Amino acid sequence: MDTFVLPGLNGSGDSHWQAHWTRDNTNARIIEQRDWNCPHLAEWQERLDEELASQDNIWIVAHSLGTLLAANLAERPSAKKIRGALLVAPCDLAKVEELHPCVVNFGGMPVRRLPFPSMVVASRNDPYMSLESARQFANLWGSELADIGNAGHINIRSGHGRWPLGYELLNRLKAREVELRQARSRRLSVVEPWAGYSSMS
């Protein structure tokens, strides 16, 4: 298993691109939650931590509320298990509350920089988050931003069943992660001169 798929509110139905993702990739699976309809952050975090406990080098593919679950990993030890995260159509909790009153108990918006490479995939007409807000949170999380135009909430309603672009974007993120890892390795291989050394003339 190398990819965990994190759906949002109400889960992802059989026609959702996340469901297609797991059918297309046998190394990917949806992390099931006990209650998809009334999400509670602590419960969803506990479930994700349980799945990560026996895994390493996991890629996350998250949608909507699932992106906030992934972003909250910045404050958790299990973040070290993550290799990178594709954060598709993140939602603004204020908008979620407006559209689904008294349903979601997810605390506040995560604002800490993520300790792993990530990409925010945003739409210009997403009812759950404006492009400007998506750009702001991408900056806070240290994420690359992919603006894919007018794509709604990038879900079934906006016509996103099987979604080939998603695979391309994850591959772009994977290439970036390799570049970052190689750059880090090169920096570590450089032997810095000892600061206390002085030559004798």
Side-chain angles (χ1 to χ4, degrees):
M1 197 61 54
D2 65 15
T3 305
F4 281 0
V5 177
L6 308 183
L9 179 65
N10 300 322
S12 295
D14 285 344
S15 299
H16 194 286
W17 61 265
Q18 286 188 312
H20 284 292
W21 197 297
T22 59
R23 288 192 289 267
D24 292 343
N25 180 1
T26 57
N27 290 323
R29 76 162 179 262
I30 288 176
I31 302 304
E32 296 289 345
Q33 297 289 348
R34 182 189 64 82
D35 190 344
W36 289 113
N37 301 323
C38 298
H40 193 287
L41 177 60
E43 185 176 305
W44 280 32
Q45 284 180 322
E46 183 178 1
R47 180 77 181 98
L48 179 57
D49 284 346
E50 288 174 356
E51 292 291 337
L52 287 171
S54 59
Q55 303 289 338
D56 283 300
N57 298 317
I58 291 293
W59 292 96
I60 282 180
V61 176
H63 178 255
S64 193
L65 200 63
T67 67
L68 304 191
L69 175 63
N72 272 289
L73 282 169
E75 302 179 354
R76 302 183 75 78
S78 52
K80 65 181 182 294
K81 303 277 190 168
I82 307 302
R83 194 163 175 182
L86 188 69
L87 307 173
V88 181
C91 58
D92 186 325
L93 287 173
K95 286 285 188 182
V96 176
E97 177 63 24
E98 178 184 325
L99 295 169
H100 307 278
C102 304
V103 171
V104 175
N105 185 353
F106 241 64
M109 290 292 293
V111 295
R112 292 187 60 180
R113 187 178 184 87
L114 294 172
F116 44 77
S118 58
M119 179 188 293
V120 168
V121 183
S123 163
R124 296 190 175 195
N125 61 342
D126 189 338
Y128 287 92
M129 180 175 277
S130 68
L131 182 62
E132 181 181 351
S133 291
R135 183 174 289 111
Q136 290 173 350
F137 281 102
N139 287 335
L140 287 169
W141 298 338
S143 306
E144 179 182 353
L145 177 68
D147 170 1
I148 65 169
N150 294 328
H153 194 44
I154 316 178
N155 58 3
I156 296 171
R157 181 174 294 181
S158 60
H160 293 82
R162 179 171 273 108
W163 185 44
L165 177 60
Y167 302 111
E168 295 177 24
L169 293 172
L170 181 61
N171 285 336
R172 184 196 303 178
L173 178 62
K174 287 182 175 181
R176 178 186 164 210
E177 188 272 344
V178 169
E179 291 173 359
L180 291 171
R181 188 153 37 87
Q182 290 175 341
R184 190 180 307 118
S185 178
R186 286 194 295 271
R187 287 196 300 270
L188 291 174
S189 67
V190 174
V191 179
E192 296 292 339
W194 178 39
Y197 173 81
S198 61
S199 59
M200 299 291 290
S201 54

